[in-house]
Amino acid sequence: MVDNYGDVGVCWRLARQLATEHGIAVRLWIDDLKSARRLIPSLDPALVRQLIGGVEILAWIDPLPVISPGAVVIGAFAASLPESFLEAMALCVPRPAWINLEYLSAEDWVTGCHGLPSPHPRLPLVQHFFFPGLDVGTGGLLRESDYDVQRGAFSREAFRQALELPPEQPGERMVSLFTYENPALPELLELWSQSSAPVCCLVPEGRILPGLAAHLGLSGLRAGDKILHEALTVCVLPFVEQARYDALLWACDLNFVRGEDSFVRAQWAGLPFVWHIYAQEEEAHLVKLQAFMDRYLVGIEPSAARALRDFWLAWNRGEGVAAAWPAFAGSLPLLEAHGPTWSARLQQTGDLASNLVRFCKVEIE
Ligand code: TRH
């Protein structure tokens, strides 16, 4: 992790779910406890071992302490396991199930690669690829079994009060902005400032604050700041514990999300969203972005589909955002209606943690 939280975010979410919903003893090795503390505020980065939320969290230090491997070993996001640990795995009887948990992609090849074995070149170990995904035949997406209960208990009014947000104005659109730095940000903010309907933009503390402050003519911004700029109100929110991030999505009419985990949570929220994908070399990410849009937009009225494609591409390229906004804003009611249909479709794949447990118990000998 380098000022990104997706990797630890997915691992922490999965670990908690395996522990609390499946009753599994989970050890989570993290190589950057300081960054992880942003999502897990009770974490003490000075401790090499601690128990939080039913999960044993261990500092991934070099050399790794001698420890007997669990029945299942998951290397997430291409993490290479230390040689000494692999050797300990090879000596286990029976040998642990060894999973390589991959990044999420909506590309077609994922279904064909999900579950494939990959023997270790030297040791008697076989690693299996486990791909999150959108379709039946992939590992699915992480979704807690009590998600609907949590959502049902959510009150937008209580959320506003807890954050001491200004009272809702008639016709106001509430937007969350959790995104990477973007040269198009000033353009979008200017558009919202000039819009006929008020826009309340909730920005979690993070890397876009300097750019945002510069646009607003301020030397800096911090959690709690509320700035009124014509029709736009910008409210800076504290970065909250991971389990509380969903509430921000539920509270808003439109969510800007990024990376992997917040992108998935926006889909469960079933509300219109804009995905800022994590940039890769040679624009490989744009292929992934297109693959997702192709799936997500099936069944949507063509003009709304076109509006979403244009706006998402403009946002990800960092240009043409103002030109693409009016049509996108106009299509939000259709996208709002589409959200629950999409979320229901995703649920047909089953949740990733349950799929993973079944895969380890049933499909790996
Ligand atoms: O932080 P990210 O950009 O993570 C990225 C991507 O996952 C990318 O694929 C990966 O390769 C790179 O990290 C290293 O975005 P993401 O995935 O949405 O993760 C953010 C996490 O932060 C997510 O779990 C939600 C959580 N979060 C909170 O816990 N509290 C908050 O207040 C906010 C705004 C987010």
Side-chain angles (χ1 to χ4, degrees):
M1 296 171 281
V2 190
D3 58 331
N4 289 103
Y5 306 106
D7 292 3
V8 73
V10 170
C11 294
W12 173 233
R13 198 179 283 293
L14 172 62
R16 273 190 299 152
Q17 221 183 314
L18 290 173
T20 56
E21 295 181 20
H22 297 272
I24 294 171
V26 184
R27 274 188 211 134
L28 176 61
W29 298 89
I30 302 182
D31 63 353
D32 181 353
L33 292 171
K34 276 199 188 125
S35 299
R37 186 161 61 161
R38 297 212 76 192
L39 288 83
I40 318 168
S42 55
L43 189 94
D44 181 349
L47 297 178
V48 290
R49 180 187 173 277
Q50 54 204 301
L51 196 69
I52 301 179
V55 175
E56 183 185 0
I57 300 183
L58 296 148
W60 186 330
I61 42 176
D62 188 24
L64 210 62
V66 177
I67 196 156
S68 131
V72 177
V73 175
I74 304 170
F77 309 121
S80 24
L81 304 184
E83 234 7 66
S84 61
F85 194 78
L86 286 170
E87 277 159 14
M89 282 165 65
L91 293 175
C92 291
V93 182
R95 292 199 185 94
W98 181 18
I99 302 293
N100 183 347
L101 177 65
E102 280 288 349
Y103 286 104
L104 169 63
S105 172
E107 291 163 290
D108 286 336
W109 55 263
V110 167
T111 317
C113 292
H114 175 61
L116 287 184
S118 164
H120 188 277
R122 187 171 52 84
L123 297 166
L125 293 169
V126 179
Q127 175 179 228
H128 285 84
F129 289 96
F130 195 91
F131 279 88
L134 312 174
D135 300 314
V136 175
T138 67
L141 299 175
L142 285 169
R143 188 180 199 271
E144 294 77 9
S145 61
D146 67 349
Y147 182 88
D148 291 331
V149 176
Q150 298 289 343
R151 179 143 197 198
F154 171 75
S155 146
R156 192 167 157 153
E157 210 32 61
F159 175 86
R160 286 190 84 108
Q161 276 172 16
L163 286 169
E164 297 177 357
L165 298 180
E168 189 168 350
Q169 299 176 62
E172 178 187 276
R173 176 174 284 145
M174 191 134 94
V175 180
S176 78
L177 197 61
F178 179 51
T179 183
Y180 303 120
E181 296 86 344
N182 194 323
L185 184 60
E187 198 178 316
L188 185 64
L189 295 172
E190 204 42 48
L191 207 94
W192 288 344
S193 319
Q194 304 303 324
S195 74
S196 52
V199 176
C200 179
C201 179
L202 308 183
V203 190
E205 271 177 313
R207 49 202 281 186
I208 66 159
L209 287 193
L212 185 58
H215 173 75
L216 297 170
L218 302 167
S219 57
L221 280 167
R222 56 187 182 162
D225 285 347
K226 296 178 185 69
I227 291 101
L228 186 63
H229 191 66
E230 302 181 48
L232 170 68
T233 309
V234 172
C235 302
V236 182
L237 306 188
F239 195 94
V240 293
E241 185 179 353
Q242 190 188 46
R244 290 173 56 206
Y245 173 62
D246 284 324
L248 174 61
L249 302 172
W250 299 332
C252 290
D253 306 298
L254 172 65
N255 292 300
F256 283 70
V257 290
R258 67 186 211 191
E260 180 160 329
D261 192 53
S262 58
F263 163 60
V264 170
R265 303 316 281 185
Q267 293 173 68
W268 293 139
L271 294 159
F273 66 100
V274 179
W275 182 27
H276 201 178
I277 190 169
Y278 189 72
Q280 289 179 301
E281 278 172 23
E282 295 174 12
E283 303 209 322
H285 59 287
L286 293 182
V287 175
K288 294 184 176 175
L289 183 70
Q290 291 285 5
F292 177 76
M293 291 191 294
D294 290 348
R295 283 189 152 63
Y296 180 66
L297 293 173
V298 171
I300 288 207
E301 204 258 311
S303 64
R306 166 61 44 210
L308 182 140
R309 276 183 198 280
D310 289 348
F311 188 78
W312 281 30
L313 283 171
W315 184 246
N316 278 279
R317 291 194 172 118
E319 56 186 37
V321 162
W325 172 257
F328 180 63
S331 68
L332 289 176
L334 283 176
L335 294 170
E336 198 178 320
H338 178 61
T341 314
W342 175 251
S343 151
R345 213 201 106 185
L346 290 179
Q347 285 178 64
Q348 290 168 5
T349 310
D351 78 280
L352 188 144
S354 306
N355 290 340
L356 180 59
V357 170
R358 193 172 41 251
F359 184 75
C360 293
K361 278 190 180 159
V362 180
E363 294 183 41
I364 303 181
E365 290 156 42

